[in-house]
Amino acid sequence: MAFSANRSNVSGGSPRSATVRLERASSLTSNTSPTHPRSKAIPSATSPGRRPSRNGRDDSGVSGRVRVAVRLRPRNSEELKSDDVADYIELMPELKRLKLRKNNWDFETFQFDEILNETASQKRVYEVVAKPVVESVLEGYNGTVMAYGQTGTGKTFTLGKLGEDDAADRGIMVRAMEDILANASAEQDSVSVSYLQLYLETVQDLLAPEKDNLTISEDPRTGDVSLPGATCVEVRHPKSFLELLEAGEANRIAANTKMNTESSRSHALLLVNVKKSVKAKQEKESTASNENGSSLQLSKSHSLMTIRKSKLLIVDLAGSERVDKSGSEGHLLEEAKFINLSLTALGKCINALAENSPHVPIRDSKLTRLLRDSFGGTARTSLVITIGPSSQHRAETMSTILFGQRAMKVENMVKLREEFDYKSLCRKLEADLDRLIAENERQNKLVLDTEEQLQKRAEEAELTIQQAERKAKVLLEESHAKKLKLQKENLDSIRRLQQECSLLEKELKENAVKLQSEKEAAVVEKEMQIQNERAKKQQEKEEYIEEYQHKLEELNKKFEAERAERESIERRLQEIEDCMEGQNKLELDDQENLNELAKKMEEESHSRERATRELGEWKLQGAFIASNETAGLKDEVKLLKQEIEEQCKQKEVLEKEVKDLKQQMLQLSYDTDETRKVLEKGPTRVSLGAESPMSLSKAHHMRETVNGQRATIAKLFEQVGLHKILSLLESEDVDVRVHAVKVVANLAAEESNQEKIVESGGIVSLLRLLDSSQDDIIRRVAAETNQELIMAQNGTRLLVRTANETDDPQTLRMVAGAIANLCGNEKLQARLREDGGIIALLGMARSRHPDVLAQIARGIANFAKCESRAARGQKREKSLLIEDGALPWIVENATNEISAVRRHIELALCHLAQHEVNAVDLIAAGALWELVRISKECSREDIRILATKNITSSSSFQSELKKL
Ligand code: ADP
Ligand code: MG
């Protein structure tokens, strides 16, 4: 049979293995009738066991029996008026059973899925009959709600009531649409509606009345039936649906009027297409099988969208009453056949299905074709059979109930109408692909851009490097050139410097050699000269010294002879004293003579000392010249010539001096001889009393002889020129000045020269030299220059100053000597003392040098002697020495171990003691005891005698001595 084959095709044509779920159990599905004779054949909807794949049937669905409810229409006004008591039917809603009177005594009981009595509201009817189907549709299953019953029993009321007047009257169509729209997303889902009428096997489009013969097409693959030409209106709001339904209803009435038929004869079909997009379950690897059986691996990132395309079919069938019954309407029999064809075919199909017949004549009518999925298909189907309460309806009611009973046996395999939304997936994938391509292009572009930039940068860097390299190369070359240049310059300069250096060295060597040779020559020459001169001088000096020593010896001899003579004179005097007692007058003369003799002797001694001093001076001078010349060697190289000349001159002078000194020595020896002769003759002449004046004159003569020698020197220098000699005093050279001073000093010794020297300013120069010179020789020699001249030119003060300022023993000795000489000059004594000479002399005692002390002692002795001499025969004042405080020093040094000092002091004490006026001070200073000691211990007899005499002759001394 075609129906069976179709079923087989339908189930076999769907290779999909979508998971089927039963979302809820409705009252329709939950109740099965245990009383139903075929109930065993109806599997429970609550036990959705998979049907094994047998007999080529589809095993992908879940068995879902057609649900059938019975609704009893309430009595209408007419029926209420009539006495017709509806007792032919008894409803037992709670038991879901109804009883139908078979005859007067028997009832037949029928079990249904729901029993809705006349009071059942539209809402309840919807919820019981349609709502489970609507929910299934929303879940993706096809669904069918169909009303079957006799005309006028309320099919249209139940399904198509719009409820404009009373919302509670809204029928299943309106309520179903309300529920669907409420559960569909306006954006993703779509709900579209077609409204059709099937009359005389013609399908009319109620939404487009002009389409009055729509063709039914079947998908050969799935078996799905569709009406491609039917108007399908998208509905979004219940209100628009109502309008649509109204319009459809109006069109139905118009069409029926036009066809001169009643709506009860036609079937009205509301087809609602619901498309819902559902997100598929995300699984790790979802695999969706496509039609070719190949699998598509979807990435995790893509959520699978599935589309549930389900259909809700609400069918308001034509009245189920037999046509023949309604033949009064005047239809042709043929027409009447057509009118009932669809219903008859439906009945047949349901019977076949109910009886599980292998052939279901589904193709016998358009209705069965359109309801193909609703009975024995994949849809969830709910059937409401309407019955009337009047007994008139009894037969039809029975027929309707039996139809319902058969329909309850029909079992569908509800199947989820779900498919992957390949289009949207494709779109999405395409979008993804586009996006990825764009991204890829963008990335590629980015890579290209980056590469380009990098390339550009690399090129720039390359360029920079090249430039830098070029620069570096240039710089390197420049620096190299500079370096080479500098090296060359360096080498040149080094070479030049070396040359200069070698030249300089050469020059230096030459100069050094030259200088060395010159120096050596000069030194050798100088040394030779000096040595020669020194040797000469030494020789001269030695000769001179020898002569002096000889002279000294002679003088000593002479002195000894004189002393012997004096002793003999004294002895003779003693003898005379002894012999000539009583001859007082003669005695006095003798005494005088004796004193004179003593003086003479003293002078002799003085001259001897002077000679000794001169000798020492010469020695010192010689030593000084030698040392000085050696020390000044280097400096003198320059002045060599000049000095050599001076030396020559000096040499000449010295030669002359030596010559003169020789003469002087000769004279001295002559004088000595003369003196010796006088002394030898002395004893015989003493008695004559002419001896003393004679010897005195001899001594004087001797001094004059010396002066004569000096005059000779002066004459020689006159030849040179006094001015020249004096100008030498101003010379820069110390030695020159020294010699000049010496020469001037020698000249000054000659009285005849003194005036000339003073006139020429020589003394001024000399004194200035004395004042300013640091050279001790100059000071020494200058200090010795003629005493009177010095005094006249305020020389004493200079000497005093020199004495106070210098500590040089040699200078002090010379200054002390000079002052001592002045002390011996009677004429100058007062002036000397006034100028502080005595105090200066005493002051020089600070130098402990024996020579200085000797000169001081000599000076004091000279001063005392002169005072004594001057006071002779006249009353005189106290000694100036005592006045100037010399006594303590005299007493202190009376016992000085230096014999020269001691002797002078002893003499000085004797001179002072000669005058009574000094006695008191002498006693006070303790000098008396020194005198006593001298009188006893002095080595010189004459002094002892003098001391004794002084002690004895002084009353003060005597009285002082008597105190002890
Ligand atoms: P049908 O379509 O089966 O020929 P209708 O639906 O046209 O019957 O109903 C016939 C009449 O009965 C209508 O006037 C309707 O209003 C009324 N009718 C039907 N069923 C009911 C009901 N359950 N309650 C009230 N009135 C009803
Ligand atoms: Mg109707």
Side-chain angles (χ1 to χ4, degrees):
M1 292 293 285
F3 190 76
S4 169
N6 279 342
R7 273 178 63 105
S8 179
N9 283 341
V10 167
S11 48
S14 174
R16 278 189 283 169
S17 58
T19 307
V20 177
R21 291 173 293 155
L22 284 177
E23 297 296 326
R24 67 179 71 217
S26 68
S27 56
L28 272 172
T29 56
S30 62
N31 292 313
T32 51
S33 174
T35 56
H36 196 282
R38 306 279 300 270
S39 62
K40 62 178 186 217
I42 305 167
S44 171
T46 53
S47 56
R50 284 180 185 277
R51 186 183 289 178
S53 182
R54 282 180 308 184
N55 307 322
R57 291 198 55 166
D58 178 26
D59 63 346
S60 62
V62 171
S63 67
R65 181 175 56 78
V66 173
R67 305 292 152 180
V68 181
V70 179
R71 187 183 192 186
L72 177 66
R73 175 178 61 77
R75 291 166 189 270
N76 56 31
S77 53
E78 282 180 24
E79 284 163 346
L80 286 168
K81 283 176 197 168
S82 69
D83 294 332
D84 184 15
V85 179
D87 58 350
Y88 80 99
I89 190 163
E90 187 185 337
L91 300 178
M92 292 175 281
E94 58 282 358
L95 295 170
K96 303 187 191 300
R97 288 181 192 168
L98 66 83
K99 281 182 183 172
L100 200 65
R101 188 185 290 276
K102 270 166 117 180
N103 44 51
N104 287 332
W105 61 88
D106 195 14
F107 284 89
E108 196 172 357
T109 304
F110 298 97
Q111 183 80 34
F112 282 96
D113 291 310
E114 202 66 48
I115 301 295
L116 301 159
N117 61 19
E118 62 272 31
T119 60
S121 68
Q122 288 282 73
K123 187 181 181 230
R124 177 164 159 70
V125 172
Y126 170 74
E127 283 178 351
V128 169
V129 177
K131 193 161 186 178
V133 179
V134 169
E135 284 173 348
S136 278
V137 168
L138 285 168
E139 286 168 4
Y141 300 92
N142 285 344
T144 308
V145 177
M146 197 165 66
Y148 182 90
Q150 191 182 356
T151 301
T153 52
K155 297 186 291 297
T156 305
F157 183 85
T158 299
L159 294 178
K161 187 74 175 171
L162 296 176
E164 297 119 318
D165 303 327
D166 188 355
D169 284 347
R170 284 173 295 147
I172 283 171
M173 284 178 183
V174 177
R175 288 178 191 270
M177 278 303 288
E178 283 175 355
D179 268 0
I180 286 166
L181 289 170
N183 285 286
S185 159
E187 292 82 29
Q188 291 185 345
D189 306 335
S190 87
V191 179
S192 58
V193 170
S194 298
Y195 197 26
L196 310 159
Q197 179 176 254
L198 177 64
Y199 181 65
L200 295 175
E201 290 304 297
T202 307
V203 180
Q204 296 173 341
D205 192 341
L206 291 177
L207 300 179
E210 67 278 4
K211 296 176 185 174
D212 52 3
N213 191 11
L214 296 171
T215 53
I216 298 166
S217 72
E218 282 177 44
D219 187 332
R221 187 170 55 84
T222 60
D224 282 348
V225 180
S226 61
L227 294 155
T231 304
C232 196
V233 179
E234 181 101 14
V235 178
R236 293 190 181 275
H237 302 288
K239 200 182 167 187
S240 61
F241 172 69
L242 280 175
E243 285 166 4
L244 203 70
L245 210 58
E246 270 181 317
E249 208 57 43
N251 287 334
R252 190 182 180 190
I253 292 161
N256 289 342
T257 309
K258 186 182 171 186
M259 289 184 290
N260 194 26
T261 182
E262 289 195 16
S263 61
S264 60
R265 297 291 169 215
S266 65
H267 311 283
L269 292 97
L270 179 74
L271 182 62
V272 182
N273 290 299
V274 178
K275 257 193 226 173
K276 268 178 82 78
S277 295
V278 181
K279 249 184 197 173
K281 237 187 178 180
Q282 267 198 338
E283 290 172 15
K284 275 200 172 178
E285 281 185 8
S286 300
T287 307
S289 299
N290 60 16
E291 282 146 10
N292 298 321
S294 62
S295 64
L296 176 69
Q297 293 287 329
L298 297 170
S299 72
K300 285 182 203 172
S301 59
H302 289 291
S303 56
L304 291 174
M305 291 302 288
T306 54
I307 294 177
R308 288 175 180 174
K309 287 181 184 172
S310 52
K311 288 174 191 169
L312 175 65
L313 190 60
I314 299 173
V315 186
D316 186 1
L317 291 168
S320 58
E321 67 275 1
R322 290 181 188 276
V323 176
D324 55 329
K325 274 194 176 177
S326 55
S328 57
E329 288 167 14
H331 288 290
L332 293 172
L333 186 63
E334 196 60 29
E335 192 184 0
K337 275 184 185 172
F338 272 111
I339 288 168
N340 285 311
L341 180 68
S342 286
L343 265 182
T344 308
L346 179 65
K348 283 177 184 168
C349 284
I350 283 172
N351 282 338
L353 286 167
E355 289 163 10
N356 213 7
S357 168
H359 174 67
V360 181
I362 205 153
R363 289 195 167 273
D364 286 3
S365 72
K366 285 190 173 172
L367 181 65
T368 51
R369 285 176 68 192
L370 288 169
L371 291 173
R372 175 178 177 166
D373 198 41
S374 304
F375 293 94
T378 62
R380 188 178 292 280
T381 302
S382 191
L383 176 68
V384 61
I385 54 172
T386 53
I387 51 175
S390 170
S391 55
Q392 291 173 3
H393 298 120
R394 187 180 164 277
E396 286 302 324
T397 300
M398 179 57 86
S399 163
T400 304
I401 281 176
L402 287 173
F403 178 85
Q405 284 291 302
R406 282 194 294 277
M408 275 180 76
K409 290 174 187 171
V410 177
E411 199 174 330
N412 290 349
M413 290 303 292
V414 292
K415 233 165 118 181
L416 192 65
R417 295 285 166 173
E418 188 180 55
E419 63 185 39
F420 285 105
D421 187 0
Y422 290 108
K423 280 183 185 172
S424 72
L425 183 64
C426 187
R427 276 199 303 277
K428 196 172 179 188
L429 286 171
E430 275 174 356
D432 280 355
L433 194 65
D434 288 346
R435 191 172 50 75
L436 286 169
I437 286 165
E439 178 68 16
N440 188 33
E441 278 179 357
R442 198 178 62 78
Q443 293 284 354
N444 282 340
K445 198 169 177 295
L446 201 72
V447 167
L448 281 171
D449 287 353
T450 314
E451 275 179 1
E452 206 172 308
Q453 276 182 357
L454 283 171
Q455 184 68 28
K456 210 170 166 185
R457 275 192 204 168
E459 280 169 8
E460 282 173 7
E462 185 71 28
L463 212 70
T464 314
I465 287 163
Q466 280 175 5
Q467 281 176 354
E469 276 177 353
R470 274 203 296 276
K471 264 188 199 171
K473 202 177 169 186
V474 168
L475 284 171
L476 208 69
E477 279 169 4
E478 277 177 8
S479 66
H480 189 65
K482 269 186 194 172
K483 195 180 157 189
L484 285 172
K485 198 180 162 191
L486 281 170
Q487 276 179 347
K488 196 168 173 285
E489 281 174 4
N490 252 355
L491 283 169
D492 288 350
S493 55
I494 285 165
R495 217 173 289 146
R496 203 168 55 241
L497 282 169
Q498 278 175 344
Q499 280 173 359
E500 278 174 19
C501 202
S502 61
L503 277 170
L504 280 169
E505 272 178 9
K506 208 173 162 187
E507 215 172 294
L508 203 69
K509 271 181 195 169
E510 282 171 4
N511 281 344
V513 167
K514 205 172 155 188
L515 274 172
Q516 189 66 29
S517 61
E518 276 176 10
K519 194 179 160 189
E520 278 171 4
V523 166
V524 166
E525 198 182 339
K526 180 74 186 171
E527 271 178 1
M528 288 271 282
Q529 278 180 358
I530 286 162
Q531 274 180 357
N532 286 342
E533 273 173 27
R534 206 181 281 167
K536 215 181 268 176
K537 276 183 189 173
Q538 190 68 30
Q539 201 182 343
E540 283 166 4
K541 252 184 262 166
E542 278 170 9
E543 284 170 3
Y544 192 60
I545 288 159
E546 207 178 310
E547 280 172 20
Y548 262 82
Q549 276 173 349
H550 186 64
K551 193 177 161 187
L552 207 65
E553 275 171 24
E554 282 176 350
L555 278 169
N556 278 335
K557 278 177 192 170
K558 192 178 158 188
F559 182 74
E560 287 298 319
E562 275 181 1
R563 194 204 273 177
E565 192 185 354
R566 198 179 69 183
E567 278 171 3
S568 70
I569 288 164
E570 278 174 357
R571 274 196 304 274
R572 275 170 64 194
L573 272 170
Q574 193 65 42
E575 281 168 13
I576 288 161
E577 273 176 19
D578 291 342
C579 292
M580 299 290 285
E581 272 180 9
Q583 294 177 8
N584 287 329
K585 208 179 176 180
L586 189 67
E587 193 183 18
L588 278 167
D589 289 343
D590 281 348
Q591 183 66 39
E592 198 125 291
N593 283 335
L594 203 67
N595 283 342
E596 282 294 327
L597 201 68
K599 272 179 199 168
K600 203 174 96 181
M601 278 176 73
E602 226 170 273
E603 277 169 6
E604 281 292 330
S605 154
H606 180 66
S607 86
R608 197 185 69 185
E609 276 172 10
R610 191 180 173 124
T612 312
R613 197 178 69 238
E614 276 176 359
L615 188 67
E617 183 64 33
W618 279 112
K619 278 181 188 173
L620 281 164
Q621 199 175 324
F624 176 78
I625 288 161
S627 67
N628 209 33
E629 279 169 357
T630 312
L633 243 172
K634 284 184 181 177
D635 295 332
E636 280 171 4
V637 171
K638 294 176 191 170
L639 295 165
L640 206 59
K641 272 189 174 179
Q642 193 185 338
E643 206 179 331
I644 287 163
E645 280 173 14
E646 277 181 22
Q647 289 280 344
C648 288
K649 283 176 189 173
Q650 214 173 331
K651 194 179 151 193
E652 282 171 24
V653 170
L654 282 168
E655 276 172 359
K656 275 185 181 166
E657 269 185 337
V658 167
K659 201 178 170 186
D660 289 344
L661 280 167
K662 276 181 182 174
Q663 283 177 357
Q664 199 180 337
M665 288 302 293
L666 281 169
Q667 187 62 45
L668 273 168
S669 76
Y670 172 74
D671 285 350
T672 310
D673 288 344
E674 285 296 299
T675 311
R676 197 183 295 129
K677 280 173 191 172
V678 169
L679 285 168
E680 278 168 3
K681 289 171 189 171
T684 52
R685 287 185 182 184
V686 167
S687 57
L688 295 172
E691 179 66 20
S692 289
M694 207 179 151
S695 65
L696 199 73
S697 71
K698 287 269 171 140
H700 189 251
H701 174 73
M702 193 169 73
R703 205 177 291 137
E704 276 184 347
T705 310
V706 173
N707 285 341
Q709 287 163 357
R710 282 176 178 163
T712 315
I713 295 164
K715 273 178 191 168
L716 276 166
F717 280 100
E718 265 177 9
Q719 289 168 3
V720 177
L722 186 61
H723 283 288
K724 199 174 177 185
I725 294 163
L726 289 174
S727 71
L728 290 172
L729 287 171
E730 314 278 333
S731 171
E732 298 248 320
D733 186 15
V734 177
D735 290 331
V736 174
R737 286 206 302 272
V738 168
H739 292 302
V741 166
K742 282 176 186 173
V743 170
V744 172
N746 276 324
L747 285 170
E750 184 63 42
E751 273 180 33
S752 60
N753 290 333
Q754 284 173 8
E755 201 179 337
K756 286 178 194 168
I757 291 165
V758 172
E759 277 174 7
S760 303
I763 291 304
V764 176
S765 301
L766 212 57
L767 290 171
R768 193 158 57 231
L769 205 59
L770 186 65
D771 190 19
S772 65
S773 180
Q774 296 295 309
D775 190 278
D776 287 323
I777 293 169
I778 291 168
R779 283 179 167 188
R780 216 180 296 150
V781 178
E784 276 190 324
T785 316
N786 190 278
Q787 292 162 10
E788 280 181 58
L789 270 175
I790 287 167
M791 295 295 282
Q793 296 296 326
N794 208 14
T796 313
R797 286 192 183 154
L798 286 171
L799 285 172
V800 167
R801 215 172 78 194
T802 309
N804 291 334
E805 284 173 359
T806 187
D807 280 323
D808 172 51
Q810 295 299 321
T811 306
L812 285 175
R813 188 181 67 78
M814 285 304 158
V815 171
I819 292 171
N821 289 348
L822 291 169
C823 286
N825 192 327
E826 283 174 44
K827 289 181 274 181
L828 301 173
Q829 269 199 318
R831 179 87 184 273
L832 179 69
R833 193 247 172 178
E834 272 172 30
D835 288 346
I838 294 165
I839 290 166
L841 195 68
L842 290 166
M844 281 187 280
R846 67 182 183 277
S847 167
R848 298 281 175 194
H849 198 280
D851 293 345
V852 179
L853 292 176
Q855 291 304 325
I856 293 165
R858 188 171 69 86
I860 284 165
N862 277 351
F863 202 91
K865 188 182 78 183
C866 287
E867 269 188 335
S868 182
R869 218 180 268 171
R872 201 179 296 154
Q874 53 182 311
K875 177 134 174 93
R876 63 152 294 165
E877 305 264 310
K878 199 200 281 183
S879 168
L880 292 171
L881 286 171
I882 294 168
E883 292 281 347
D884 279 357
L887 261 181
W889 190 84
I890 292 168
V891 173
E892 195 185 317
N893 288 282
T895 52
N896 196 304
E897 54 190 16
I898 304 160
S899 60
V901 176
R902 198 168 60 239
R903 212 177 302 130
H904 284 304
I905 285 171
E906 281 169 354
L907 262 173
L909 272 173
C910 288
H911 285 302
L912 288 169
Q914 275 185 340
H915 303 283
E916 190 63 25
V917 70
N918 297 329
V920 180
D921 290 290
L922 287 169
I923 291 163
L928 177 58
W929 309 114
E930 293 300 325
L931 277 169
V932 170
R933 186 189 55 76
I934 293 162
S935 67
K936 286 172 185 171
E937 292 175 9
C938 184
S939 58
R940 276 175 61 175
E941 196 184 1
D942 53 338
I943 293 171
R944 280 205 306 274
I945 291 161
L946 197 58
T948 311
K949 191 187 163 190
N950 285 341
I951 293 163
T952 50
S953 63
S954 167
S955 55
S956 301
F957 290 160
Q958 287 303 315
S959 63
E960 183 68 21
L961 287 170
K962 276 173 190 169
K963 284 180 190 171
L964 296 167

